[in-house]
Amino acid sequence: MASQINLSKFNDIYDKTNKDLLKYIIIKCHNINDTKDIIQDTYLELWRILNKKDLVEDNLKSYLIGIANNKIKKYYKKNWTLKTISLFTKDNNDLELINTIEDKININDLVIKQDVWDRVWKYIKDKKNQDIPKVFYLYYELDLTIKEIANLLSKTESYIKHLIYRTLKELQDNFGNGDNYNE
């Protein structure tokens, strides 16, 4: 009986916090591919805690962020042998690219098959600059504005726009303009 109550409470907490916690973990991770493991570990830890004691519902989001912080630190300490790419390197020569790319690409209008989407998302996640998948997820999946993303990632709006437009251009060059996605 207690297990069923805990499951119901866990599901309720998950539904209320998942989107915000996922956003937080994406921002804090060095590599977007690590987010699934960390969010899973965070909610697993919450499940263990729920089975041991009652939690006050006032600050559950803050409590989960604390757990996530610890999981992120542990994850990267454990995986220290993986090489990471500096998140702070900039290539100012490419900033003019924003002004040269025509803005006729509307990714929201693309209707693509799941296997094409999987290839596109893999392409984005495998980019050396891990800001790119973070920005794409925050912008297209969580519907954050460019300004909000810039603030969350401590980057300029120009940099965020640059990542979006340059990557959209690459996607168009590599995957087409969407005409062949509906086949």
Side-chain angles (χ1 to χ4, degrees), residues 5-14 43 46-47 50:
I5 293 170
N6 287 343
L7 180 60
S8 176
K9 191 172 186 177
F10 176 85
N11 287 336
D12 186 48
I13 293 169
Y14 180 86
Y43 280 111
L46 174 67
W47 175 252
L50 280 175

Side-chain angles (χ1 to χ4, degrees), residues 165-176:
Y165 293 130
R166 183 185 65 194
T167 307
L168 286 174
K169 177 69 173 133
E170 286 179 34
L171 290 173
Q172 186 178 25
D173 291 346
N174 289 319
F175 296 96

Side-chain angles (χ1 to χ4, degrees), residues 7-146:
L7 180 60
S8 176
K9 191 172 186 177
F10 176 85
N11 287 336
D12 186 48
I13 293 169
Y14 180 86
D15 291 340
K16 290 178 181 175
T17 61
N18 184 46
K19 188 174 180 179
D20 290 333
L21 188 64
L22 180 60
K23 179 172 64 173
Y24 177 81
I25 291 173
I26 286 172
I27 291 166
K28 293 296 181 182
C29 284
H30 298 292
N31 188 322
I32 199 162
N33 294 315
D34 303 335
T35 57
K36 285 183 182 178
D37 292 335
I38 294 169
I39 201 159
Q40 180 180 355
D41 290 347
T42 302
Y43 280 111
L44 183 60
E45 183 69 21
L46 174 67
W47 175 252
R48 289 181 187 134
I49 291 169
L50 280 175
N51 284 315
K52 290 180 183 175
K53 63 180 180 179
D54 282 334
L55 295 177
V56 179
E57 301 224 7
D58 294 343
N59 296 320
L60 279 176
K61 194 185 308 182
S62 299
Y63 189 73
L64 276 170
I65 286 175
I67 294 172
N69 259 336
N70 291 333
K71 295 299 176 183
I72 291 168
K73 289 175 188 173
K74 252 186 206 175
Y75 186 87
Y76 287 114
K77 185 176 181 182
K78 184 174 99 175
N79 296 316
W80 181 254
T81 56
L82 296 176
K83 293 184 179 179
T84 57
I85 299 168
S86 173
L87 296 175
F88 304 105
T89 56
K90 290 184 180 179
D91 186 0
N92 291 332
N93 296 332
D94 289 338
L95 287 178
E96 290 79 33
L97 186 61
I98 292 172
N99 299 324
T100 63
I101 298 175
E102 294 182 45
D103 191 15
K104 17 182 204 180
I105 304 168
N106 186 348
I107 200 164
N108 291 327
D109 291 339
L110 296 178
V111 179
I112 55 178
K113 295 179 183 176
Q114 187 63 41
D115 60 324
V116 175
W117 167 247
D118 291 342
R119 287 192 343 251
V120 168
W121 183 238
K122 181 180 180 341
Y123 177 82
I124 292 171
K125 287 191 327 183
D126 290 344
K127 302 294 280 175
K128 280 187 176 182
N129 182 350
Q130 281 295 294
D131 284 347
I132 295 170
K134 288 180 185 183
V135 167
F136 265 71
Y137 191 85
L138 294 170
Y139 188 71
Y140 289 107
E141 184 64 27
L142 298 182
D143 293 323
L144 296 180
T145 65
I146 290 173

Side-chain angles (χ1 to χ4, degrees), residues 153-165:
L153 296 177
S154 300
K155 305 288 184 186
T156 65
E157 288 182 45
S158 175
Y159 174 75
I160 301 302
K161 288 178 188 176
H162 167 70
L163 291 181
I164 291 171
Y165 293 130

